[in-house]
Amino acid sequence: MRCALGPSPAVEVEDVWYAYGPRSALEGVTLQVPAGAFAAVIGPNGAGKSTLLRLLLGIERPQRGRLTIFGEPAGKVSHPIGYVPQGIRLPRGFPLSVGDLVLMGRYPTLGLGRRPSRKDRERVEEALEQVGMLPLIRRRFEDLSGGQQQRVLIARALVGDPCLLVLDEPTAGLDPAARAAFYAMVCDLQRARGLTLLCASHDLEDVAQHAQIVILLDRRVQAIGSPSEVLESRALAQVYRFPPAHHHHPEKEGPA
Ligand code: ADP
């Protein structure tokens, strides 16, 4: 399936405020992600990245402001949103196969207690093929490596045929090679399906290479733009409190 890219932005957030009791997590967040783009949300721990994703998924509602997805209010969208968590933990020894785990991604359409149809099984195989995991369809999920598990979780998100994929630090715990391979695969999917990607991430280098839009969040949107605009911004150094040696000071640069 390929996503039809209409005129509405994939994600539109307008003056969104959210607090957990007295603790404010998001303050006046406004941003847009065009359909078909790969947008990365970066920022230190506690910056509000997961909170923003949860609001978009409709798990929480903002205290103020508006979030829309392809023109529809978050929480009331008619199209599925694919969600890829940091990882999932199954009870030890839980005998869930890769194929069955991916099939769970069809449950909203399957309905509880309905037997999977031939089409459901075909879609599972197709999604596993797309992430390069079809040969492992009968393996136990818990026996796979972290990188392989993340690919399977992407496949689980894809079988619902989403046009927006929300990823919450999907490469936490992967080594650099697995991380690079993961981003390359996700970008192939973006191109092949016309998917919009919104990915919370700590991988500044991978993001610089693959994303079209970078959103630097620290309760407020501190910077938004192309990877080079944001990653070279003063806001980035301030938010991450880089030591001065790492900071770019154009005014101090002169002939050596
Ligand atoms: P990030 O994903 O960028 O690390 P979070 O959205 O998880 O940030 O958290 C933002 C802020 O909200 C943090 O200060 C965090 O401690 C707080 N927070 C997150 N979840 C809860 C919760 N369920 N209850 C209370 N405070 C929370």
Side-chain angles (χ1 to χ4, degrees):
M1 192 206 74
R2 225 195 123 76
C3 297
L5 301 181
S8 307
V11 170
E12 200 164 14
V13 177
E14 280 177 53
D15 194 27
V16 159
W17 295 69
Y18 190 87
Y20 296 92
R23 183 182 290 176
S24 141
L26 297 174
E27 299 179 355
V29 169
T30 295
L31 58 92
Q32 278 196 5
V33 178
F38 177 171
V41 183
I42 62 169
N45 288 326
K49 301 182 295 294
S50 299
T51 303
L52 177 62
L53 301 189
R54 291 157 64 82
L55 291 171
L56 286 167
L57 291 165
I59 301 169
E60 314 278 355
R61 299 171 69 83
Q63 278 115 15
R64 240 176 80 185
R66 238 163 54 96
L67 301 101
T68 53
I69 292 156
F70 295 110
E72 299 178 317
K76 294 181 186 156
V77 296
S78 56
H79 297 288
I81 301 173
Y83 174 61
V84 181
Q86 276 185 26
I88 58 171
R89 271 173 199 276
L90 299 173
R92 262 175 76 89
F94 195 70
L96 191 64
S97 73
V98 165
D100 285 342
L101 187 113
V102 175
L103 186 62
M104 286 165 61
R106 299 261 322 158
Y107 279 171
T109 41
L110 257 181
L112 276 178
R114 230 193 73 198
R115 285 178 64 86
S117 66
R118 185 197 175 110
K119 177 155 183 269
D120 292 323
R121 300 212 174 275
E122 280 171 6
R123 294 291 294 108
V124 167
E125 289 179 13
E126 194 187 319
L128 281 169
E129 172 85 59
Q130 279 194 305
V131 300
M133 296 297 286
L134 186 54
L136 303 188
I137 187 168
R138 292 190 206 296
R139 293 272 292 276
R140 270 193 193 196
F141 180 76
E142 68 164 9
D143 293 341
L144 305 184
S145 72
Q148 290 172 331
Q149 290 191 348
Q150 282 311 95
R151 285 168 178 260
V152 172
L153 291 176
I154 291 258
R156 184 182 68 161
L158 289 178
V159 290
D161 288 330
C163 285
L164 172 65
L165 207 54
V166 171
L167 306 104
D168 195 353
E169 294 180 26
T171 58
L174 300 191
D175 65 40
R179 230 166 50 204
F182 182 85
Y183 281 108
M185 178 205 69
V186 164
C187 288
D188 284 346
L189 290 172
Q190 178 201 5
R191 283 187 290 269
R193 290 194 174 218
L195 271 178
T196 307
L197 305 174
L198 186 68
C199 180
S201 175
H202 282 294
D203 312 324
L204 300 191
E205 281 172 34
D206 298 292
V207 156
Q209 224 183 322
H210 296 293
Q212 285 91 51
I213 299 172
V214 176
I215 299 156
L216 173 61
L217 192 68
D218 195 6
R219 267 187 287 184
R220 296 173 171 274
V221 174
Q222 304 290 345
I224 180 167
S226 69
S228 60
E229 280 167 347
V230 174
L231 297 178
E232 288 161 22
S233 68
R234 277 173 183 284
L236 186 86
Q238 279 161 4
V239 163
Y240 281 95
R241 299 191 185 84
F242 287 153
H246 291 187
H247 195 349
H248 188 59
H249 287 292
E251 69 277 10
K252 288 192 187 160
E253 281 172 4

